[in-house]
Amino acid sequence: MGFSFSMGLNLVLLLAMVATNILSLYHLSSPLQSKPSAPPPVPDHLIRQLQTIRATINHLTRLQSSRTAGDSSGATKPTKPTVPSDLLLYTHIASIASSCRDHPELLYRYMNYTPFSLCPLDDAVSEALILRGCHPLPRRRCFSRTTAKLPSSLPTSPFDPLPDNAIVWSKYTCKSFTCLARLSSDLGFDMKLEKSKYLSYKSDLDLPIQQLLQISKVAKSPIRLALDIGGGTGTFAAQMKGVNVTVVTTTLNFGSPNNEAAALRGLVPLHVPLQQRLPMFDGVLDLVRCGRAVNRWIPVTAMEFLFYDVDRVLRGGGYLWLDRFFSKGVDLEKVYAPLIGKLGYKTVKWAVASKNDTTGVKNGEVYLTALLQKPVSK
């Protein structure tokens, strides 16, 4: 191994010497003139070649030094993890997102399974990869887990109680929807509370569905198809279903069965992250709602790409609804308001109020609810 490495280093040094000689001959071959003149510029391609050779030599030298030091100390060399066989097979039939390669340990754990058997309970691994930009995930040749028996009935209304025996609870801390509802009323599993959401006006931050539909009717821009970004268990989609509007919800689980709950309610959940390109064609949606998942914790550049992707899928006259977007008050004025203003949309509603919980008061945070209409001319 050491002999082949030395031969490689010698070969690179030889190439460097040849390239240097070529450069010297290039200068000497220039015609002699009576008066000294400025040397001709070195061609860019030669400079790039020399820089590449120099960088390669430096890298190999450092690598040789570290190997020599390791051999002399007698330290055990770290072994590279074995690439799962199904991952190697999949790379021959489909591409893998570049971000997946940035997290090989997680990727290997996800793809380290027994083909043609039950899939492992590794939702935490798959969502960890998704949140790091590894999406879509590679396909796997294993069987998804199901409940021991089918539920006797499914909800006929999206606000009926959800059947516990329709969920594989072994991958969650809570083992029932009642447990989740008691854990926090904000999680979206208490159907009695969910049934009243988006219907009433309690503050300027609220935009009741009937008011939204009235705005669109007056503007002669009807709402029929919509996307709810970060919609949890799908309550907004459920309420819109009652007024004959089809809404698709993007949601992640984060340790609770958001996707399963939305599906049990007769809704369509999309298991995609915020940084994923929206899986819709250009100009086909009447409304995109961004819930609390879209907030100041998203990097500004990522948020800008998100807003322009929203613009891509909205038709002319369609609406972007920022529902309780929260940020620091100073950032809303200096960062996010100008960012939103770049879209050039008509402002139908713009309401700001203080975020009065503990973190909101501590950080000087505010809520923004905004309804913006895309120009027809765009």
Side-chain angles (χ1 to χ4, degrees):
M1 180 68 181
F3 177 78
S4 60
F5 182 87
S6 300
M7 287 293 292
L9 181 58
N10 290 335
L11 179 60
V12 172
L13 291 171
L14 178 61
L15 290 172
M17 183 177 65
V18 171
T20 305
N21 290 336
I22 292 173
L23 185 60
S24 300
L25 288 173
Y26 178 87
H27 285 294
L28 291 174
S29 63
S30 301
L32 297 175
Q33 300 180 6
S34 57
K35 294 182 180 181
S37 58
V42 180
D44 290 340
H45 69 278
L46 284 179
I47 293 177
R48 287 194 296 269
Q49 289 176 6
L50 288 173
Q51 289 174 341
T52 302
I53 292 171
R54 185 181 296 112
T56 305
I57 292 173
N58 291 337
H59 174 71
L60 290 174
T61 303
R62 287 194 300 270
L63 187 60
Q64 175 67 17
S65 300
S66 63
R67 287 188 175 184
T68 303
D71 293 341
S72 61
S73 64
T76 304
K77 297 179 181 179
T79 57
K80 291 183 65 176
T82 303
V83 181
S85 58
D86 256 34
L87 179 58
L88 289 174
L89 178 61
Y90 186 79
T91 58
H92 292 293
I93 61 174
S95 60
I96 295 178
S98 59
S99 295
C100 298
R101 296 184 173 90
D102 294 336
H103 306 281
E105 292 184 5
L106 283 172
L107 181 62
Y108 290 2
R109 284 175 60 190
Y110 177 73
M111 293 299 290
N112 188 17
Y113 66 97
T114 303
F116 316 116
S117 63
L118 283 176
C119 295
L121 290 170
D122 57 359
D123 286 18
V125 176
S126 63
E127 289 207 336
L129 280 168
I130 289 173
L131 289 171
R132 288 162 173 79
C134 179
H135 193 271
L137 291 171
R139 285 177 170 169
R140 300 194 294 192
R141 297 182 296 170
C142 58
F143 297 102
S144 63
R145 295 175 182 264
T146 62
T147 55
K149 60 180 181 179
L150 295 175
S152 57
S153 63
L154 293 174
T156 56
S157 163
F159 297 103
D160 285 347
L162 302 178
D164 289 333
N165 59 355
I167 301 294
V168 180
W169 291 105
S170 54
K171 51 190 174 183
Y172 301 115
T173 304
C174 272
K175 305 304 179 185
S176 69
F177 287 114
T178 302
C179 170
L180 289 166
R182 283 200 305 261
L183 195 64
S184 173
S185 60
D186 293 332
L187 291 178
F189 294 100
D190 188 335
M191 293 300 114
K192 292 180 181 178
L193 291 177
E194 299 303 298
K195 192 172 184 178
S196 63
K197 289 184 177 179
Y198 307 106
L199 300 181
S200 60
Y201 184 94
K202 297 179 181 178
S203 74
D204 288 343
L205 295 175
D206 294 320
L207 181 57
I209 287 176
Q210 287 302 325
Q211 183 182 3
L212 172 66
L213 296 177
Q214 182 62 28
I215 289 172
S216 66
K217 181 179 179 181
V218 171
K220 297 181 180 180
S221 183
I223 297 174
R224 301 162 302 130
L225 298 173
L227 173 68
D228 189 14
I229 297 177
T233 61
T235 295
F236 177 69
Q239 296 287 19
M240 294 294 276
K241 184 177 182 180
V243 292
N244 202 30
V245 176
T246 301
V247 178
V248 176
T249 303
T250 74
T251 185
L252 294 177
N253 277 10
F254 297 123
S256 58
N258 292 329
N259 281 270
E260 298 97 312
L264 284 173
R265 301 174 77 180
L267 309 170
V268 181
L270 294 179
H271 192 227
V272 297
L274 292 173
Q275 65 266 41
Q276 171 70 20
R277 186 177 189 265
L278 299 175
M280 281 83 183
F281 195 69
D282 300 2
V284 296
L285 296 180
D286 306 311
L287 169 71
V288 174
R289 174 185 172 269
C290 296
R292 295 187 189 184
V294 180
N295 57 61
R296 74 181 183 93
W297 296 113
I298 301 174
V300 174
T301 302
M303 189 177 298
E304 188 169 40
F305 274 102
L306 171 62
F307 286 160
Y308 279 91
D309 201 29
V310 168
D311 177 81
R312 177 184 63 81
V313 300
L314 278 177
R315 61 168 176 80
Y319 294 94
L320 166 61
W321 177 9
L322 298 175
D323 190 3
R324 284 175 169 77
F325 172 91
F326 72 85
S327 70
K328 292 183 178 181
V330 63
D331 290 339
L332 177 61
E333 179 182 350
K334 295 184 178 180
V335 179
Y336 299 112
L339 181 65
I340 297 167
K342 284 183 182 180
L343 295 172
Y345 284 14
K346 176 185 176 182
T347 301
V348 180
K349 179 183 178 73
W350 187 279
V352 179
S354 297
K355 188 170 179 283
N356 292 323
D357 58 12
T358 304
T359 57
V361 172
K362 179 182 177 180
N363 297 314
E365 293 175 334
V366 296
Y367 281 124
L368 165 69
T369 291
L371 184 65
L372 310 164
Q373 186 176 26
K374 179 176 178 178
V376 178
S377 58
K378 279 199 173 185

